[in-house]
Amino acid sequence: MINEITGGVCAAQGFKAAGVHCGVKAGSSPDKNDLALILSDRECTAAGVYTLNRVKAAPIYVTMDHLENGVAWGIVANSGNANACCPQSHENAEAMCAAAAAAVGREPEDFIVASTGVIGQTIHIQAIQAGLPQAAAALSTEGSSAAANAIMTTDTVKKEIAVFFQVGGKEVKIGAIAKGSGMIHPNMGTMLAFVTTDCAITQEMLEDALRDVTGKTFNRVTVDGDTSTNDMCVVLANGAAGNPLIEWKDGDFDTFRDALHHVCRLLARAIAGDGEGASRLITCRMSRARSEESAERLAKAVVASSLVKAAMFGADANWGRVLCAMGYSKAPFRPEHVDISFESSAGSILVCRQGDGLPFNEDRAKEILSQPEVIIAVSLNEGEESAECWGCDLTYDYVKINGDYRT
Amino acid sequence: MINEITGGVCAAQGFKAAGVHCGVKAGSSPDKNDLALILSDRECTAAGVYTLNRVKAAPIYVTMDHLENGVAWGIVANSGNANACCPQSHENAEAMCAAAAAAVGREPEDFIVASTGVIGQTIHIQAIQAGLPQAAAALSTEGSSAAANAIMTTDTVKKEIAVFFQVGGKEVKIGAIAKGSGMIHPNMGTMLAFVTTDCAITQEMLEDALRDVTGKTFNRVTVDGDTSTNDMCVVLANGAAGNPLIEWKDGDFDTFRDALHHVCRLLARAIAGDGEGASRLITCRMSRARSEESAERLAKAVVASSLVKAAMFGADANWGRVLCAMGYSKAPFRPEHVDISFESSAGSILVCRQGDGLPFNEDRAKEILSQPEVIIAVSLNEGEESAECWGCDLTYDYVKINGDYRT
């Protein structure tokens, strides 16, 4: 039983957070936070997954280095600059950790560091150094929303969630914040997601749970096919819940992993639905496949297709583009067995049966496709496996946002 | 020495073409041709390359079947309907060949058939059957432009080219027409391209030349990452030039292949520059690579990136997105060695040296990026190989065209 609660990254016992405006980007509004700090009151077991882009921002390397021992105390993150592809970017990422550590009386290696924003411009490290004592002073158990706000870039809604559940008779909580929006494509961490939990769990089990869950949630999201240089998802577990330590893959591990899956799936959907310029969340549900892997590959190709995305923007039941995208996905399937429906809160309509088009009511289809969440439901009629992937429509606003992002 | 001439697919001796309006799509303008016919006065050696999409339109299968013997006499093609994913689509593709054959007194198997347009709607075969006698009557050595017009969908310019060159003391010609615009991604044939030549060449040599050239021209174009169900590039060689038969990979073969490369490269660039909604042609030139394969993969990732394409629309020198796209291309390279410039008829500007951003004049960059053709020039500084790929910017019009294509 997984129950949603408020509190975000501060829901779990022993975690505080803060978000402040320090002026990373010249001329940015003082109302928009750009510096987030998350701190545990005790040492945490920690695990991370990172972008597979060959070009990795400095904070990725510094975080990998700091997490080599599998433990951390906190996270420092900024928006407004990716701290990537610049002279001094490595030194500046280390300087962020050092400033965070100095502000709270810890060591630089205790910190995970993340950045998001424009690539190739030197980060305004002095602003961050000046802001961190302020952030440290603002740390509170009510600080999750301010931290979530601080990591937003072109996001239009804050992404924050928390849940509680039982492990060995103890109440355990998992909370998280995330940012998404652009440069989002299913290939590892995808975007920034910071997860905190008071669960007592070993580093190995935490890492396994995170990898498993990430593969089925964040890695099934695409906004624009561009895998960022800065993506990361990290989880900190401080053990404050006092549950029996999870140290092997027993029922307690499954419970924890399911709760983590619940949290990450909701964030993944929130990231897809709030993709840059998006007007609706598109889910592709690929069912009756011979394997989950092929179902995932097919569903990803559909939600990543520019033509499908543009058709969804126009609420156009152009299912031929769905079948076409499946065709170039390189996953095996038999086109002549495929059924395709469009579904939403307004109903469901079957448009293709066994690979051939059906006559259907265009007005009814338009009504179904005009809802804020649309499901492209494909049945391969070949097996019993399935997978869901999430994306969004391609709109004028995506082009507008990205036609002139830097200036 | 390759010389450009007029005449398109009728430039080579012995070829006639026609384009007429027959009403494939209900309510379409009578001014827009939708049925093309190309005919040789003698049997041709023929070769084709086809979409690798697992979902192939019926005309692809029928053409593969008809070209099994390596010979053909002509091509029949329509726009307005893809003849894909519908009951009777195979029968209708065969019916198109039969009608073309009947109209000119040949056999159905002598014809290559192609369709382009919407997927999943039954093609109006009666309109095509009624139009073919009219097309046959209109066949002429001046008919290339009408045929080129007939295969256009969302294309805004006709794509037609011809060249002459010498083989063994004889003048040989190659001509071609093509259509591109949407569902264009480097993976085989990409779009429709019909090439005619009066060169005397064996089927094996023709096939080898076509595969080699296609790999370096059409397969290096992307408009939207969607590989169509209908792509094909076919070449017909009728031998009318009377040159010594090209039957092995000698100097004459190289001459022919170079001329075919010239023709296909120009068409590939024309398709990229006329991509759906495009306001400019984007070339990515990847140089000083360790291998041509990795250079091609890197350049393709750059021109396929939605974020790079949107930045090019905004004439925004956002080179970080170029490096980011290279990073997720899966090709090996060292980010810290990379130099990036933007070039156009207005000049050239270096924005990144050895992986780090350089200060540059934004106004100057905007001027360079505002031209109708922009080159993203990347030097990997690792070897001596290079490759160019072509694409276009991502504009409001792309979204508009594809948000409501069917209706």
Side-chain angles (χ1 to χ4, degrees):
Chain A
M1 180 72 176
I2 297 162
N3 308 279
E4 290 183 26
I5 48 174
T6 59
V9 283
C10 301
Q13 289 180 63
F15 286 96
K16 290 180 176 174
V20 299
H21 172 83
C22 73
V24 172
K25 207 167 169 179
S28 58
S29 160
D31 297 335
K32 167 68 178 80
N33 293 342
D34 55 9
L35 183 60
L37 189 61
I38 300 171
L39 190 68
S40 168
D41 64 2
R42 67 200 80 180
E43 188 175 85
C44 301
T45 297
V49 289
Y50 311 96
T51 182
L52 289 182
N53 197 310
R54 186 174 288 264
V55 181
K56 290 177 178 61
I60 298 285
Y61 288 113
V62 170
T63 296
M64 285 174 165
D65 185 32
H66 289 190
L67 283 192
E68 205 147 291
N69 61 358
V71 299
W73 283 67
I75 301 168
V76 56
N78 71 277
S79 57
N81 189 304
N83 193 23
C85 310
C86 267
Q88 306 295 318
S89 57
H90 192 91
E91 292 81 351
N92 285 335
E94 287 285 12
M96 276 177 71
C97 293
V104 302
R106 298 247 29 108
E107 296 301 314
E109 294 70 28
D110 295 336
F111 276 88
I112 286 161
V113 57
S115 296
T116 178
V118 66
I119 299 172
Q121 294 178 359
T122 301
I123 196 167
H124 187 8
I125 187 69
Q126 294 82 4
I128 292 173
Q129 287 167 326
L132 274 167
Q134 186 193 342
L139 281 169
S140 93
T141 54
E142 311 292 316
S144 178
S145 286
N149 177 277
I151 58 171
M152 288 166 72
T153 53
T154 47
D155 304 65
T156 64
V157 294
K158 258 185 304 205
K159 286 128 194 125
E160 212 183 350
I161 183 184
V163 298
F164 75 86
F165 51 100
Q166 300 285 326
V167 175
K170 296 283 182 178
E171 188 170 289
V172 171
K173 299 194 186 82
I174 299 178
I177 60 174
K179 64 93 37 183
S181 227
M183 258 194 203
I184 299 290
H185 187 63
N187 202 350
M188 284 315 290
T190 328
M191 75 316 84
L192 302 182
F194 304 140
V195 185
T196 57
T197 178
D198 45 22
C199 190
I201 182 168
T202 65
Q203 205 279 332
E204 290 73 17
M205 291 299 103
L206 190 62
E207 179 110 19
D208 281 2
L210 181 65
R211 290 199 177 277
D212 182 50
V213 164
T214 305
K216 296 185 177 183
T217 56
F218 296 124
N219 287 3
R220 291 186 177 174
V221 171
T222 189
V223 168
D224 50 19
D226 283 275
T227 303
S228 155
T229 51
N230 288 59
D231 299 338
M232 80 164 65
C233 174
V234 289
V235 52
L236 299 181
N238 71 5
N243 60 288
L245 182 70
I246 298 174
E247 52 186 338
W248 57 290
K249 293 194 174 172
D250 55 5
D252 286 353
F253 174 84
D254 291 345
T255 301
F256 176 79
R257 191 197 48 203
D258 290 349
L260 186 63
H261 182 269
H262 184 95
V263 164
C264 293
R265 180 173 182 275
L266 282 176
L267 289 176
R269 285 168 54 89
I271 286 168
D274 191 32
E276 281 180 335
S279 73
R280 49 185 133 261
L281 169 64
I282 308 298
T283 298
C284 182
R285 184 194 302 144
M286 195 62 57
S287 58
R288 303 202 58 196
R290 275 174 294 183
S291 75
E292 186 176 347
E293 289 67 31
S294 64
E296 179 181 352
R297 188 183 278 261
L298 289 161
K300 261 187 202 172
V302 172
V303 292
S305 158
S306 291
L307 288 170
V308 170
K309 287 157 63 72
M312 292 297 101
F313 172 54
D316 178 11
N318 200 328
W319 61 268
R321 295 179 178 173
V322 173
L323 198 56
C324 175
M326 291 167 59
Y328 62 70
S329 72
K330 300 192 171 72
F333 74 103
R334 300 280 289 272
E336 65 272 27
H337 292 175
V338 171
D339 298 338
I340 304 175
S341 301
F342 294 107
E343 302 176 11
S344 75
S345 57
S348 168
I349 192 163
L350 182 68
V351 291
C352 169
R353 183 186 288 147
Q354 298 185 355
D356 286 335
L358 293 175
F360 61 89
N361 183 322
E362 291 278 353
D363 292 339
R364 181 80 185 104
K366 178 104 18 198
E367 187 193 353
I368 289 167
L369 290 170
S370 297
Q371 304 307 313
E373 177 176 354
V374 169
I375 298 167
I376 302 170
V378 182
S379 175
L380 299 171
N381 295 312
E382 295 186 339
E384 296 310 319
E385 300 300 321
S386 65
E388 274 190 2
C389 289
W390 302 281
C392 59
D393 54 348
L394 174 62
T395 69
Y396 297 124
D397 281 349
Y398 178 83
V399 178
K400 183 171 185 183
I401 290 166
N402 289 299
D404 200 5
Y405 172 74
R406 285 186 319 137
T407 50
Chain B
M1 180 75 176
I2 298 162
N3 308 279
E4 291 183 26
I5 49 174
T6 57
V9 284
C10 301
Q13 290 180 60
F15 286 98
K16 289 180 176 174
V20 299
H21 171 84
C22 72
V24 173
K25 206 168 168 178
S28 57
S29 161
D31 297 336
K32 167 67 179 80
N33 293 343
D34 55 9
L35 182 61
L37 189 62
I38 301 171
L39 190 68
S40 169
D41 64 3
R42 66 201 81 180
E43 187 175 85
C44 302
T45 297
V49 289
Y50 311 96
T51 183
L52 289 182
N53 196 310
R54 185 174 289 264
V55 181
K56 291 179 178 59
I60 298 284
Y61 288 115
V62 170
T63 296
M64 286 174 164
D65 185 31
H66 289 191
L67 283 192
E68 205 148 289
N69 61 357
V71 299
W73 283 69
I75 301 168
V76 57
N78 72 277
S79 57
N81 190 304
N83 193 21
C85 309
C86 268
Q88 306 296 318
S89 56
H90 192 91
E91 291 81 351
N92 285 335
E94 287 285 11
M96 276 177 71
C97 294
V104 302
R106 297 245 32 106
E107 295 301 314
E109 294 69 29
D110 295 335
F111 277 87
I112 286 160
V113 57
S115 296
T116 178
V118 67
I119 299 173
Q121 294 177 0
T122 300
I123 196 166
H124 186 9
I125 188 68
Q126 294 82 1
I128 292 173
Q129 286 166 328
L132 273 166
Q134 186 193 345
L139 280 169
S140 96
T141 55
E142 311 292 315
S144 179
S145 286
N149 177 278
I151 59 171
M152 291 166 71
T153 51
T154 49
D155 304 65
T156 64
V157 295
K158 256 184 306 205
K159 285 130 195 125
E160 211 183 352
I161 182 183
V163 298
F164 74 86
F165 52 99
Q166 301 284 326
V167 175
K170 297 283 183 180
E171 189 170 289
V172 172
K173 300 194 186 82
I174 299 178
I177 60 174
K179 63 94 36 184
S181 227
M183 261 196 201
I184 298 291
H185 187 63
N187 203 349
M188 283 315 288
T190 328
M191 75 314 85
L192 302 183
F194 304 140
V195 185
T196 57
T197 178
D198 45 23
C199 190
I201 182 168
T202 65
Q203 206 278 333
E204 290 73 17
M205 291 299 103
L206 190 64
E207 179 111 19
D208 281 1
L210 182 66
R211 291 200 176 275
D212 184 49
V213 164
T214 304
K216 296 185 177 184
T217 56
F218 296 124
N219 287 3
R220 290 186 178 175
V221 171
T222 189
V223 168
D224 50 19
D226 283 274
T227 303
S228 155
T229 49
N230 288 57
D231 299 339
M232 79 164 65
C233 174
V234 290
V235 52
L236 299 182
N238 69 5
N243 59 289
L245 182 71
I246 298 174
E247 51 187 341
W248 57 291
K249 292 194 176 171
D250 56 4
D252 286 353
F253 175 83
D254 291 346
T255 301
F256 176 80
R257 190 197 49 202
D258 290 351
L260 186 64
H261 182 269
H262 183 95
V263 165
C264 293
R265 180 173 182 276
L266 282 176
L267 289 176
R269 285 168 53 90
I271 287 169
D274 191 32
E276 281 181 335
S279 72
R280 49 185 133 262
L281 170 64
I282 308 298
T283 299
C284 182
R285 186 193 300 144
M286 196 63 56
S287 59
R288 303 202 58 197
R290 275 175 293 184
S291 75
E292 186 177 348
E293 289 67 29
S294 64
E296 180 182 350
R297 189 183 276 262
L298 289 162
K300 258 185 204 174
V302 172
V303 293
S305 157
S306 291
L307 287 170
V308 170
K309 288 158 63 73
M312 292 299 100
F313 172 55
D316 179 12
N318 200 329
W319 61 267
R321 294 178 178 174
V322 174
L323 199 56
C324 175
M326 292 167 60
Y328 62 70
S329 71
K330 299 192 171 75
F333 74 103
R334 300 280 288 269
E336 63 273 27
H337 291 175
V338 171
D339 298 337
I340 303 174
S341 301
F342 293 107
E343 301 176 12
S344 75
S345 57
S348 168
I349 192 163
L350 183 68
V351 290
C352 168
R353 184 187 286 146
Q354 298 185 354
D356 285 335
L358 293 175
F360 61 89
N361 182 321
E362 291 278 354
D363 292 339
R364 181 80 185 103
K366 177 111 2 203
E367 188 193 351
I368 290 167
L369 291 171
S370 298
Q371 305 307 313
E373 178 177 352
V374 169
I375 299 167
I376 302 171
V378 182
S379 176
L380 299 171
N381 296 311
E382 294 187 340
E384 297 309 319
E385 300 301 320
S386 66
E388 274 190 2
C389 289
W390 302 282
C392 59
D393 54 348
L394 175 61
T395 69
Y396 297 123
D397 281 348
Y398 178 84
V399 178
K400 185 172 183 182
I401 291 166
N402 289 299
D404 200 5
Y405 173 73
R406 286 186 318 139
T407 49

